[in-house]
Amino acid sequence: MKSGRDKEKQNDRCISSHMQTLHRRLLHTLNLGNRHFDEKTKRWRWQCANIEVQKNVLRSIGAFLDSLLGDARAARHAVVKESVPDILGALLWILQCKSEALLSMASTVAVKLVSVLPNPLLQSHMLDLVYCLSSLLSSHQVEVAIPCATALNFVISNLSATSEKEVMEALKEMETSFQIFGNIKDFAEGAKKIEYFEEMTLLLSTILWRWPPSRFPVCNDVILMKGLANIHTKTDSSTKLALLKLYTSIALCDSAARKLIEDEEVFPQMFVQAMGKSNPHAIRIEGFRLAQCLLRSQDNCLKVVDLCGEALVEAIICGMTETRLSSKKIGNNHGSLSVEACQLALITRWAGDHHTNFWKQGIDRVLLNLLIENIQDQLFEPVLSLEKQIYIAKEGLKGNYHLGIRSYLWDILGWLTIHCGENLNPCTHGSELCINLLITCACLSFVDTLEKWCRICQKDIDDHFQSEPVLRAVLMMIHSPCNSISSHTRFLLSDVLKVKGMPCLKSLLHTLDYTSSLESYGSFDKLQLVVNLIGFTCLSSLPEYQRCIIESKGIKVIVLLLKRCLDNDIHIERQSFIPHLHTTCHERSCCCFDKGDWEGSNVLLFYSLLGLTEILHQCDLLRENPQQFSREVTNISPQLVSKLQEICKSSSFSPGVRWYVSYLLTYFGYYGFPTELAKRIGKSLNMEEYSDMKLVLAKGESLSVHAVILAVRCPSLLPPQLLPCRKSSKEIADNFVRETMREVRLSSHVDYEALVLLLEYVYLGCLHGSEETAKKLKILAKRCNLQPLFQMLHRHRPKWGLPFPSFNLTSSFGLAGSCFSDVILAAKSNELVRWTCNICSNTVPHMHVHKVILQSGCDYLQGLFRSGMQERHQKDLG
């Protein structure tokens, strides 16, 4: 009886024999033509004008290629490699002859050729093939255009990085994209086969995927886009799939994505419906991929949420839950619906109404079901003891259920808890037990992960790239604005760390101290640094570890890391060590206007700031040893404080980094948000020049101010009759202009020192004062509704995702400030222009502006104002 190996050898011999026979026939037919040497390409080329010979050659090539189908080894046989130049040469000649009788047959053979032969074998003739196929795309013979589009699509889809540029240049030279535009428009107006439209659309989507410059022109072609929209509503699944792929490629351009979403009535609903469970699997997958491209910026996401947020979230939830039995342990298979849905669910990284929809639709239950197999069967009791919850979570996590999407689950859980409202009540949706179990799973995984990194070499950790997401999720839950989530996370983390917490902390500090001194970092070193820093930050939020942190010089270690980040010695982006964040959508995107993550690109800088603020916050709360706390704070070098102040002023840093820097600076007596513009405006503080109002206190002290600055920055200091919301701008201006200096008397409860500090903040964007003076200011800041300042004075930790306060005087040109104008800039124009003004009746185009603002930003205008430039008073112009 023959063994399996003998049978395999016999099959190989049979295949080789058959292939050899077909190869001999192919050579025989090729020999009926001629070969000439092309001086331009320095290659021998096959040629033959006889149509019958050409037909026989095509048949022989087709039969030879058919023999290779389904056998990857046969396609790499030496005989095949030797034959490729002759086969390609003959096929190219026949295609270039453009004999109508043979074009259909030749283009069909071209499809076989590019789909059967390995791409490296075609490399030397790739450009010739691209030029030839492109020239036939607009053939009036549909039977020619369709296979040419299919073959060209196959070639471009399998391009190597080295040949991509020259092929794209060839397509540009042939104006291939514009040819396809025309073909699609012709289909919309004519009666060509639906296959024609599908193949042209798929080819265009592939080109746009590879070639960014052609994306926006497609989206900007109104006729084309309208035709595509009409076709989508009328066609079957295969055509919808082709259209979705095209839209996905277009949406890689952020400008095009914005334009698509602007079609509020049709497009958002179209791609949300494509994700629905009533559609075939392939369409749903492409629907999710399109949504990922469209919603990769916060602005686009929030627009779609406003239009169809509930349906969007419902589609995501449905996609996450549809894990087939065969995918019980899902790998990184992007064909998986649940993977694509989880990828889209990362829109939770932005705050918005979609969070409410996620909670309403039971996202907590969905996440728990994906973490623990058959969890619903174990939740037969509405209330479980803490011990029982820990047991269920431990046993469930051991099963490694859906391990391939677990990183997504931790990220989604973290974002949901950090962006939930302060008043989120888990009992409202009947999900308190689910949320508690999720927190338990996260805390147990946190401890397990931390222990592994402290105990063994990170390279020995199988799932080392999944370490950061779970640690980050716990960090976010600790900082959740929802008190029940935050307090339960801290309580549970303290409980599960009772035995292992202190050894882990000491190991973390030792590792951080060592890795922070390294001169260079590999990918594992970077990941270890981040993992250790997040772990340390979480532990520093627990009061029981404060003494160890202080005694082990924890602040010194973090400050050293922070200094190195600020000196650009260490820059670590989260995407560099988190594989699940790498998507072809992000790699291929262009024209991205996204503002970036709130935490910034250098996560090590952000976590260092967060860790340092957490230590100082806890020390400030405990204050068991005020002298030691004061010593730890003052030991932070003045040079570092100066750098932190510069970060606050710089818009190149992320909002999260600037918020935490502002928080840190409160420990050094700096409260607020300095900017360069505020610094220039601040020069007018306490200056009589251009001031038009005096704030008079009960004891007779007075301070000269500028009404427009107060109107824009702190309107609560203005008397009610001067607020634009109470009267028209013209009434305010008429009343205000009668007095060159208006006095406003303040309440006897207003402290002079506190008012001075408040005005410092109003003019400069920040203030400097002691703890005692800051205490006096708290009441005044609250009454003036200066929420950001009030938050800093009370050292409330920044809310994740909160925009950084800006020093914006733009509203001084509007209703809030124009009524306090002391100079008018009029246009020098003889043309009749319709012009109306809310302040005066002058019909010449003009603007009511303010000397104090203009001179702060322009030395030239400052010189004009001070030199007595020729002016006309408002009354003259009115």
Side-chain angles (χ1 to χ4, degrees):
M1 189 172 180
K2 293 181 180 179
S3 67
R5 185 173 295 180
D6 291 337
K7 285 182 180 180
E8 189 175 327
K9 286 180 179 178
Q10 185 177 354
N11 288 337
D12 284 348
R13 283 194 297 271
C14 291
I15 291 170
S16 298
S17 174
H18 179 59
M19 189 173 65
Q20 292 281 1
T21 301
L22 293 173
H23 181 247
R24 283 194 295 272
R25 290 178 186 171
L26 173 62
L27 290 179
H28 175 70
T29 53
L30 287 172
N31 286 333
L32 296 176
N34 300 316
R35 287 177 175 80
H36 79 284
F37 188 76
D38 190 335
E39 291 292 341
K40 187 176 179 181
T41 60
K42 303 299 181 185
R43 290 177 185 166
W44 287 94
R45 289 191 177 275
W46 186 92
Q47 62 182 20
C48 179
N50 188 300
I51 290 179
E52 287 303 317
V53 171
Q54 291 180 10
K55 187 182 292 185
N56 285 331
V57 167
L58 289 175
R59 286 171 179 163
S60 298
I61 293 174
F64 182 66
L65 292 173
D66 285 338
S67 72
L68 306 178
L69 280 172
D71 192 340
R73 289 177 303 168
R76 289 175 172 79
H77 197 283
V79 171
V80 177
K81 291 179 182 179
E82 293 167 4
S83 305
V84 167
D86 288 334
I87 292 173
L88 270 168
L91 181 60
L92 288 170
W93 168 264
I94 296 169
L95 285 169
Q96 287 164 358
C97 286
K98 295 186 179 179
S99 169
E100 291 195 6
L102 293 180
L103 272 180
S104 177
M105 184 180 180
S107 54
T108 303
V109 171
V111 175
K112 283 185 185 180
L113 180 83
V114 297
S115 58
V116 171
L117 295 183
N119 208 46
L121 296 183
L122 304 174
Q123 199 67 38
S124 59
H125 291 79
M126 187 72 74
L127 282 179
D128 293 333
L129 199 55
V130 168
Y131 278 115
C132 192
L133 293 172
S134 296
S135 68
L136 293 168
L137 288 176
S138 297
S139 170
H140 68 277
Q141 290 180 273
V142 175
E143 293 76 12
V144 174
I146 291 176
C148 282
T150 305
L152 190 56
N153 189 15
F154 205 98
V155 169
I156 298 171
S157 298
N158 293 282
L159 280 177
S160 64
T162 53
S163 58
E164 181 173 317
K165 185 177 179 181
E166 59 181 1
V167 169
M168 289 302 133
E169 286 297 321
L171 294 175
K172 182 180 178 181
E173 182 185 333
M174 296 292 292
E175 297 186 335
T176 306
S177 297
F178 293 104
Q179 284 188 65
I180 302 170
F181 294 177
N183 293 348
I184 293 174
K185 289 177 185 177
D186 288 345
F187 170 82
E189 297 168 1
K192 291 184 178 177
K193 292 180 180 179
I194 192 68
E195 292 83 5
Y196 179 85
F197 172 79
E198 289 174 7
E199 291 303 329
M200 290 297 168
T201 303
L202 287 170
L203 174 57
L204 183 58
S205 69
T206 304
I207 291 173
L208 300 189
W209 186 269
R210 295 266 187 172
W211 192 29
S214 58
R215 292 168 188 163
F216 192 73
V218 176
C219 188
N220 221 24
D221 191 319
V222 178
I223 298 173
L224 177 64
M225 296 306 292
K226 190 174 180 180
L228 293 176
N230 291 336
I231 291 168
H232 184 272
T233 60
K234 302 173 184 175
T235 49
D236 57 14
S237 297
S238 60
T239 310
K240 283 185 179 180
L241 182 61
L243 269 171
L244 287 170
K245 286 180 179 292
L246 177 57
Y247 282 132
T248 301
S249 296
I250 294 170
L252 289 170
C253 170
D254 200 53
S255 297
R258 287 168 185 256
K259 196 172 178 66
L260 288 171
I261 289 173
E262 284 171 8
D263 183 7
E264 298 179 0
E265 295 182 3
V266 178
F267 195 78
Q269 285 81 1
M270 181 271 287
F271 77 79
V272 170
Q273 286 171 5
M275 296 185 286
K277 60 182 178 181
S278 61
N279 291 301
H281 183 78
I283 286 182
R284 296 181 71 189
I285 289 283
E286 202 57 45
F288 277 108
R289 288 175 179 168
L290 172 57
Q292 290 164 23
C293 290
L294 289 167
L295 307 185
R296 69 181 186 277
S297 75
Q298 184 175 9
D299 290 344
N300 286 358
C301 175
L302 297 183
K303 280 180 187 174
V304 173
V305 167
D306 287 341
L307 294 169
C308 49
E310 195 169 335
L312 173 67
V313 172
E314 184 181 351
I316 293 172
I317 294 281
C318 185
M320 290 175 69
T321 55
E322 290 193 23
T323 50
R324 289 171 170 75
L325 293 174
S326 60
S327 61
K328 178 179 175 182
K329 294 185 179 180
I330 299 171
N332 290 325
N333 174 16
H334 288 279
S336 164
L337 194 64
S338 59
V339 170
E340 300 297 339
C342 286
Q343 180 72 44
L344 183 56
L346 295 181
I347 61 171
T348 49
R349 64 186 178 274
W350 299 304
D353 293 339
H354 53 300
H355 279 265
T356 304
N357 290 324
F358 272 110
W359 287 111
K360 280 182 179 177
Q361 297 198 34
I363 184 64
D364 48 334
R365 294 185 187 87
V366 173
L367 294 175
L368 194 59
N369 284 329
L370 291 171
L371 278 171
I372 301 177
E373 188 174 10
N374 300 323
I375 183 62
Q376 292 304 324
D377 298 341
Q378 304 175 56
L379 301 182
F380 47 85
E381 299 176 24
V383 179
L384 294 175
S385 66
L386 181 63
E387 291 75 16
K388 181 68 172 174
Q389 290 179 40
I390 291 175
Y391 173 78
I392 290 174
K394 272 185 179 177
E395 293 303 308
L397 290 171
K398 284 179 185 177
N400 289 333
Y401 191 54
H402 294 329
L403 194 61
I405 59 172
R406 191 162 288 184
S407 292
Y408 290 108
L409 303 182
W410 295 133
D411 269 4
I412 295 164
L413 177 61
W415 290 124
L416 286 167
T417 55
I418 202 69
H419 288 311
C420 68
E422 295 178 21
N423 301 319
L424 175 72
N425 185 2
C427 297
T428 304
H429 307 297
S431 56
E432 185 176 10
L433 180 56
C434 286
I435 293 176
N436 286 344
L437 278 169
L438 284 171
I439 294 172
T440 306
C441 288
C443 288
L444 289 171
S445 297
F446 175 96
V447 175
D448 182 56
T449 299
L450 216 56
E451 189 183 19
K452 285 179 182 176
W453 280 86
C454 291
R455 180 163 44 88
I456 59 178
C457 174
Q458 68 272 23
K459 294 178 183 178
D460 296 330
I461 302 174
D462 294 333
D463 56 347
H464 55 271
F465 288 119
Q466 296 191 28
S467 302
E468 188 265 1
V470 68
L471 299 183
R472 179 184 167 95
V474 172
L475 177 67
M476 287 177 158
M477 289 190 285
I478 288 171
H479 287 84
S480 173
C482 175
N483 187 56
S484 63
I485 291 176
S486 177
S487 58
H488 189 66
T489 304
R490 284 189 172 91
F491 165 75
L492 199 57
L493 197 58
S494 293
D495 187 70
V496 295
L497 278 169
K498 278 179 182 175
V499 177
K500 303 171 182 176
M502 200 59 75
C504 275
L505 177 62
K506 290 178 180 178
S507 176
L508 289 174
L509 283 167
H510 172 75
T511 308
L512 284 171
D513 190 28
Y514 167 72
T515 50
S516 64
S517 61
L518 292 175
E519 290 185 7
S520 61
Y521 297 86
S523 59
F524 282 110
D525 299 318
K526 291 177 181 179
L527 180 58
Q528 184 172 35
L529 200 51
V530 171
V531 164
N532 281 268
L533 188 52
I534 298 175
F536 169 79
T537 303
C538 291
L539 293 184
S540 65
S541 68
L542 306 176
E544 58 263 36
Y545 298 107
Q546 283 304 307
R547 187 178 298 279
C548 177
I549 289 172
I550 297 296
E551 290 175 355
S552 304
K553 306 294 181 186
I555 292 182
K556 182 181 177 183
V557 172
I558 300 301
V559 168
L560 176 60
L561 266 177
L562 186 55
K563 284 180 177 177
R564 290 202 61 183
C565 289
L566 295 176
D567 291 337
N568 291 320
D569 287 344
I570 316 173
H571 187 100
I572 302 176
E573 295 188 21
R574 189 169 186 238
Q575 286 82 355
S576 67
F577 56 83
I578 303 298
H580 74 276
L581 297 180
H582 287 283
T583 63
T584 50
C585 173
H586 286 85
E587 290 168 3
R588 290 281 179 180
S589 61
C590 66
C591 307
C592 188
F593 299 111
D594 194 11
K595 299 166 188 173
D597 293 331
W598 189 76
E599 310 96 287
S601 60
N602 190 353
V603 292
L604 195 62
L605 172 61
F606 178 77
Y607 291 138
S608 299
L609 290 167
L610 189 55
L612 186 54
T613 55
E614 195 61 62
I615 299 171
L616 296 181
H617 177 74
Q618 291 297 328
C619 291
D620 195 19
L621 289 177
L622 298 174
R623 287 296 181 107
E624 292 177 358
N625 189 341
Q627 290 80 18
Q628 186 179 20
F629 172 74
S630 177
R631 186 167 59 252
E632 290 291 343
V633 171
T634 52
N635 278 342
I636 297 175
S637 67
Q639 291 86 356
L640 178 59
V641 173
S642 177
K643 278 191 176 183
L644 294 178
Q645 288 176 307
E646 289 302 314
I647 288 176
C648 251
K649 295 177 185 177
S650 174
S651 59
S652 61
F653 288 90
S654 72
V657 166
R658 294 172 77 188
W659 261 116
Y660 275 100
V661 164
S662 299
Y663 180 93
L664 269 178
L665 288 172
T666 62
Y667 290 98
F668 304 93
Y670 298 97
Y671 301 87
F673 318 95
T675 66
E676 287 301 323
L677 174 60
K679 186 178 178 181
R680 296 197 299 268
I681 291 290
K683 293 176 182 178
S684 302
L685 179 63
N686 300 324
M687 298 285 287
E688 295 285 341
E689 191 177 31
Y690 312 129
S691 64
D692 49 12
M693 183 179 285
K694 275 194 176 180
L695 301 179
V696 182
L697 284 84
K699 293 182 180 179
E701 305 105 317
S702 65
L703 293 164
S704 297
V705 293
H706 305 81
V708 65
I709 302 295
L710 297 189
V712 174
R713 295 277 297 154
C714 186
S716 300
L717 285 177
L718 292 175
Q721 62 270 26
L722 292 183
L723 293 175
C725 59
R726 302 291 182 89
K727 293 184 177 183
S728 71
S729 299
K730 195 172 191 317
E731 286 180 285
I732 296 171
D734 289 343
N735 293 332
F736 193 73
V737 79
R738 294 189 191 109
E739 303 177 57
T740 54
M741 180 65 73
R742 185 181 184 95
E743 288 189 355
V744 176
R745 297 194 172 273
L746 301 178
S747 164
S748 58
H749 297 291
V750 178
D751 179 80
Y752 176 78
E753 193 175 359
L755 181 60
V756 169
L757 284 173
L758 185 76
L759 290 175
E760 188 179 337
Y761 172 79
V762 169
Y763 276 77
L764 287 161
C766 61
L767 61 94
H768 185 245
S770 63
E771 290 274 353
E772 290 303 315
T773 53
K775 285 178 183 177
K776 294 179 182 179
L777 184 55
K778 288 178 182 178
I779 296 174
L780 189 56
K782 185 177 182 180
R783 288 182 176 174
C784 289
N785 198 30
L786 296 173
Q787 193 58 37
L789 175 62
F790 181 76
Q791 183 176 340
M792 287 293 103
L793 291 169
H794 283 270
R795 292 199 179 115
H796 292 159
R797 280 177 296 194
K799 187 179 186 306
W800 207 294
L802 191 68
F804 191 74
S806 62
F807 193 95
N808 192 343
L809 301 178
T810 307
S811 58
S812 65
F813 298 112
L815 193 61
S818 58
C819 50
F820 303 115
S821 167
D822 55 359
V823 66
I824 296 174
L825 298 181
K828 198 170 184 179
S829 173
N830 296 324
E831 298 179 12
L832 291 175
V833 180
R834 289 186 179 181
W835 185 268
T836 55
C837 179
N838 294 326
I839 306 297
C840 66
S841 57
N842 182 27
T843 57
V844 176
H846 64 278
M847 290 191 72
H848 294 260
V849 291
H850 314 84
K851 291 179 182 177
V852 65
I853 295 176
L854 292 178
Q855 61 89 29
S856 67
C858 179
D859 292 337
Y860 173 72
L861 288 176
Q862 185 182 81
L864 287 179
F865 293 151
R866 290 179 177 173
S867 64
M869 62 176 273
Q870 184 180 358
E871 297 180 43
R872 292 167 61 192
H873 198 269
Q874 295 177 28
K875 288 188 291 185
D876 298 330
L877 283 171

